[in-house]
Amino acid sequence: MTIRYPNGKLYTPNPTVQNEAKKDDNKEISFSNRGKTLEDEINEANDYYIKKRLAIIHKKPVPVQIVKVEYPSRSAAVIREAYFRTPSTTDYNGVWKGQYIDFDAKETASKTSFPLKNIHLHQMTHMQQVMEQNGVAFIIVRFAAFERYFIVPYEVLQKAWQAMENGERKSIPFSTIESEAFEIPTSYYPRIDYLPIVQQLIEAKSHGSESEEIVE
């Protein structure tokens, strides 16, 4: 099936993500996690939160306009060409304890940094708008080589993005991720229980705001 962006440009899956997914399938770090992608793990956590009535967070549907369909038989239809109606923003959003949550999920095979090419300008703009409305915006990054997961706050992304636009490096060093992001410990079920770490992010942001007020 052919899928195109709103401007007509042909959509091609990210080969980096596909290669990383294949590498992950070959890893045998734990039997329960074998073959699962980061998206699978987040969806599992979100299902758990809904069942326990802890939060309502869903993956956003991608609006697609179908332009070419073939009918090889009366009972079957095959989509041959489609367009993304609008550029995607982030992968997930929802409500938790009265707080609006909005985030994207990213995986990388790199052992040294998170490439900023995995983030798009319209996603940065969207997360900034979420922050302006007092929402919580971040990305969840999985470093496949280490099987480690981090919540990277928008502020960390924004600082790195501005540095990139100023001609500096085009990635966030892993050392910066370790020091400025919030690591999500893995467990049995759900494997990545990320909401307690989001709470840490909110509390850190709140304490930072209080400190700024005292200084002023």
Side-chain angles (χ1 to χ4, degrees):
M1 181 180 69
T2 301
I3 300 180
R4 300 180 184 275
Y5 289 106
N7 62 5
K9 183 179 178 181
L10 182 65
Y11 164 75
T12 55
N14 189 330
T16 301
V17 174
Q18 290 184 329
N19 292 337
E20 289 168 2
K22 291 179 181 179
K23 291 178 182 178
D24 293 341
D25 290 342
N26 295 329
K27 298 179 75 171
E28 296 187 1
I29 292 177
S30 71
F31 183 81
S32 62
N33 190 52
R34 189 178 302 166
K36 285 187 177 181
T37 65
L38 175 58
E39 182 177 309
D40 292 333
E41 294 168 335
I42 293 176
N43 291 341
E44 176 187 77
N46 290 343
D47 288 342
Y48 173 82
Y49 296 146
I50 290 175
K51 290 177 182 177
K52 295 294 184 179
R53 297 186 176 182
L54 298 174
I56 301 177
I57 301 172
H58 293 287
K59 181 173 175 59
K60 299 177 185 177
V62 179
V64 175
Q65 180 179 356
I66 299 172
V67 296
K68 185 177 180 180
V69 181
E70 292 182 0
Y71 297 89
S73 66
R74 290 184 178 182
S75 60
V78 179
I79 299 173
R80 294 300 184 187
E81 186 172 354
Y83 287 80
F84 291 120
R85 289 182 178 176
T86 58
S88 61
T89 53
T90 49
D91 291 333
Y92 296 90
N93 68 340
V95 181
W96 174 56
K97 294 183 178 180
Q99 182 77 61
Y100 178 72
I101 306 294
D102 197 297
F103 64 94
D104 207 82
K106 302 292 183 182
E107 298 187 60
T108 180
S110 173
K111 296 180 180 181
T112 58
S113 64
F114 172 73
L116 289 173
K117 66 180 180 181
N118 291 337
I119 304 289
H120 302 289
L121 178 59
H122 63 268
Q123 292 178 316
M124 292 295 295
T125 300
H126 173 75
M127 286 189 281
Q128 179 181 353
Q129 292 170 341
V130 169
M131 298 293 291
E132 290 173 353
Q133 297 300 321
N134 294 320
V136 181
F138 55 90
I139 65 171
I140 293 180
V141 177
R142 173 176 179 254
F143 281 85
F146 308 124
E147 278 297 306
R148 294 177 67 181
Y149 303 75
F150 296 87
I151 287 179
V152 183
Y154 168 75
E155 293 86 352
V156 175
L157 290 172
Q158 176 64 10
K159 183 170 63 175
W161 189 272
Q162 289 181 341
M164 179 182 68
E165 290 185 332
N166 291 333
E168 300 178 34
R169 65 179 298 156
K170 299 179 181 180
S171 63
I172 305 176
F174 184 68
S175 58
T176 299
I177 296 289
E178 285 189 302
S179 62
E180 299 185 21
F182 298 80
E183 186 163 6
I184 307 172
T186 57
S187 57
Y188 177 70
Y189 182 79
R191 177 171 172 78
I192 51 171
D193 185 10
Y194 65 87
L195 283 184
I197 313 306
V198 174
Q199 181 66 44
Q200 294 180 20
L201 167 61
I202 293 173
E203 291 175 354
K205 181 180 176 182
S206 176
H207 292 159
S209 299
E210 291 175 0
S211 299
E212 289 178 3
E213 291 178 0
I214 293 174
V215 172
E216 291 177 357

